[in-house]
Amino acid sequence: MHHIRPLLPTEHAFMREMFYTSFFVPEGHEPFPREIIDRPDLAKYIIDWGSGKHDLALVAERANEPLGLVWGRCFSEANKGYGFVDASTPEIGIAIREESRGQGLGTALIRAIQQKYLDQGVRRISLSTNKLNPARQLYVRMGFKIVAEKEDALTMLWQDS
């Protein structure tokens, strides 16, 4: 059985690992170099974590072992994320360790972050995903709808009904 809890301030290395894990690599392509997460257009997703009003990160764990992470952050018009909708809509990222996929952790993490944001009065969440990413099916199942397409990327939005 898994448990979902807030990310601890001491778990920045786990957040970095999950951020890197969240990058979709199409079949037959080489993985990205690990340093990619330090590029300014990407590092902004996790740098200075906890400093933003809607910075929120939740860990799925089993037997005290972290298995996955979902995190969300708001961006400004001047510093947009890839799944930017507007400055009041947090953009989320999610990653599950490969050996723990297919066990319902992604569903549980998305449900949990949706509820936490609702508790804060936030009624919309966005994300960006590759059109070929199999996780896209999970996002649709969780109520996300495509609101923009650009080359091989989709921006998806969940809105409380």
Side-chain angles (χ1 to χ4, degrees), residues 120-133:
Q120 293 180 7
V122 175
R123 314 221 79 63
R124 296 164 24 123
I125 302 169
S126 70
L127 60 82
S128 175
T129 191
N130 186 291
K131 290 178 181 178
L132 301 177
N133 189 341

Side-chain angles (χ1 to χ4, degrees), residues 22-131:
S22 75
F23 295 167
F24 174 73
V25 178
E27 200 168 314
H29 288 75
E30 286 293 314
F32 296 102
R34 287 212 171 255
E35 309 79 60
I36 195 169
I37 66 173
D38 295 315
R39 281 186 2 200
D41 64 316
L42 298 172
K44 67 184 172 188
Y45 281 91
I46 60 170
I47 200 161
D48 297 326
W49 188 258
S51 62
K53 177 181 175 187
H54 292 299
D55 282 4
L56 179 59
L58 302 171
V59 176
E61 68 178 9
R62 186 177 298 120
N64 295 320
E65 180 187 349
L67 306 173
L69 180 71
V70 65
W71 65 98
R73 170 174 264 183
C74 286
F75 294 98
S76 67
E77 185 74 36
N79 187 30
K80 295 178 182 178
Y82 288 99
F84 182 82
V85 173
D86 61 49
S88 62
T89 301
E91 181 179 343
I92 66 167
I94 185 169
I96 308 294
R97 287 191 166 149
E98 193 169 343
E99 66 276 9
S100 298
R101 293 179 187 161
Q103 300 175 25
L105 297 176
T107 298
L109 282 168
I110 290 174
R111 267 197 196 114
I113 203 165
Q114 286 170 327
Q115 188 57 58
K116 291 280 188 188
Y117 276 127
L118 284 172
D119 293 347
Q120 293 180 7
V122 175
R123 314 221 79 63
R124 296 164 24 123
I125 302 169
S126 70
L127 60 82
S128 175
T129 191
N130 186 291
K131 290 178 181 178

